[in-house]
Each structure stands twice: as C-alpha cells, then as structure tokens.
Amino acid sequence: MRINIYSIGMLIAAGIAVMLAGCMKKVEESAEYKAVCEGLHLSSTAKRNQAMEDGYIINKRFDCVDKASYAAVKEERMKYEAANTPEAIAKQKAEFAEKRKRYEEELARKAEVEKNVSVEAESNFVFRIVEVNTATEDELASVASIRPEVAAQIIAARQNGLFHDWYDLVNRVIGMSAAQSVAYASVSGLTVNGKSMEGAPPDERIAAAYWKNRRQ
C-alpha cells in the first residue's frame, strides 16, 4: 500500500487547525479576552485589514478588535446617523437660515447707522474761516481736520505768545507738526494772521469730506 505524502500532510494540517481553533475558542471564552476584546478572534489578514479600515484598533495580544475602540467607533457612528436623519438635516438648514437672516439684519442695521452718522455729520458741518490767534478752543475744534486735543495744544501754546506764521505754528504745536495735518487745517479754513498756508487755500468741498470722515 502506497502512502500519499500529500494526503498525510493535509490531514496533519487539518488536525493542527482544529486544535488551534479549539485553543482559540477557549481563549475567546476567557474573562481576560472578554475584558479587552469585542467579537471573535481575527483569524485572517483580510479580517484584520477590514477591522482597521473600519476604524478599530487591533489588540495585538489576542489579535482581536479592541473593546474600547469598538465602543468609540460605535458612538461616532451613532452620532453621525443621528446628525444625518431627515429631521436633523432639516433642523440644521433651519438654524443656518436663521443665522443668515440675523447676519443680514445686522448688516442692514450697521448700514443704516453709518448712513445716519453720515447724514448727521454733513448736516452739522459748517464751513468757516477760523483765525488761530483769536479763536476759542471750541472754534478751533470745529475746523474739520483739528481734533479736540490739538485744539487744546494750540490754546496752550498761544499762551506763550501769538503765532507769527504757519512755520511758527508747526514748530510750537505737536499736533500740527505733520505736513499733511497742517495742510488739511489750512484747506479746512484755519488761518494764521489772516493767511492760509501757501499752496493749501480753503476748500469747502474738501473740508466737508474730511469732516464726514472724521465723524465716522
């Protein structure tokens, strides 16, 4: 009788597989396995890969799905499903529409406020020639380009003597030291000894625009 080596090998392999399966079953039934694993032992590479693709962590000792990761994935799936029901989606759309409505209303409100400020600024503006050596602090502050703190500086400096010319004003008042500031002051109607700054004659249109910008 001839012995088929291949058949014997298959029988041995089958026997080993049965034995290992029996051992694994005992492991799966152990308290230690049940404490850290969810489901059965991952008996193939394909099953392990699928488990990882599904977001699970593999317990390397028992080659199973980690119980904590199973619970975490399950919770995330439940949240996703709850957030994507027709009712939940409808609620999200309604909330978004409400937020958009409030945002548009706020934009409209701000636009109206800015419009009112602009109208008020234009209505309050009065163009006049203001002489730096005789004007009060309030009159100086009424010049479109001169802020209250600069008007106060002018009054303080004037106590040490009247301003001879624009050069004297620029040198004695810090708030008027910038070329742009002093030019705007002249355009807005400020004079020194009755004279505007050379090259910057009074211009009511520019002064009104500067006044409007200052009030916004």
Side-chain angles (χ1 to χ4, degrees):
M1 181 177 178
R2 297 180 62 184
I3 299 175
N4 190 321
I5 301 299
Y6 177 76
S7 298
I8 293 174
M10 291 294 291
L11 289 172
I12 293 173
I16 293 173
V18 171
M19 182 178 65
L20 290 175
C23 292
M24 196 64 238
K25 185 172 180 61
K26 290 182 180 179
V27 171
E28 290 172 352
E29 292 175 350
S30 69
E32 191 174 5
Y33 180 94
K34 291 179 179 180
V36 296
C37 293
E38 183 67 36
L40 300 176
H41 162 72
L42 300 172
S43 57
S44 67
T45 301
K47 289 183 178 180
R48 283 191 290 274
N49 290 341
Q50 185 60 54
M52 287 188 288
E53 287 180 11
D54 291 341
Y56 300 119
I57 295 173
I58 306 302
N59 182 293
K60 294 182 179 180
R61 180 183 177 187
F62 293 111
D63 206 12
C64 64
V65 172
D66 178 79
K67 199 163 193 172
S69 76
Y70 177 85
V73 171
K74 182 179 179 181
E75 183 179 0
E76 287 301 316
R77 285 179 177 173
M78 290 175 64
K79 287 180 180 178
Y80 176 81
E81 291 171 359
N84 287 276
T85 61
E87 294 80 6
I89 292 173
K91 182 180 179 181
Q92 290 171 10
K93 288 182 177 179
E95 290 175 350
F96 177 78
E98 180 62 25
K99 288 180 180 179
R100 184 179 181 85
K101 179 183 177 183
R102 289 200 299 268
Y103 174 72
E104 290 175 346
E105 288 175 348
E106 180 63 16
L107 286 181
R109 186 190 67 78
K110 288 182 178 180
E112 185 64 24
V113 169
E114 290 175 358
K115 178 182 176 182
N116 291 337
V117 169
S118 177
V119 170
E120 180 186 358
E122 291 177 356
S123 63
N124 290 341
F125 175 72
V126 177
F127 182 77
R128 61 171 65 89
I129 300 299
V130 177
E131 169 55 42
V132 72
N133 282 318
T134 58
T136 65
E137 186 172 332
D138 287 342
E139 288 172 337
L140 289 168
S142 72
V143 176
S145 66
I146 297 180
R147 295 189 176 277
E149 60 270 22
V150 178
Q153 291 174 12
I154 292 173
I155 295 297
R158 201 172 67 191
Q159 291 177 357
N160 297 320
L162 299 180
F163 300 103
H164 302 299
D165 49 31
W166 282 92
Y167 180 80
D168 187 26
L169 175 65
V170 169
N171 278 280
R172 290 167 57 190
V173 179
I174 295 176
M176 299 291 289
S177 59
Q180 186 178 30
S181 298
V182 72
Y184 271 126
S186 179
V187 169
S188 298
L190 188 69
T191 62
V192 180
N193 288 324
K195 296 181 180 180
S196 300
M197 183 180 180
E198 186 176 351
D203 189 315
E204 184 175 353
R205 180 181 58 83
I206 295 176
Y210 200 93
W211 174 267
K212 177 181 176 181
N213 183 64
R214 172 182 165 183
R215 294 294 298 273
Q216 290 180 345

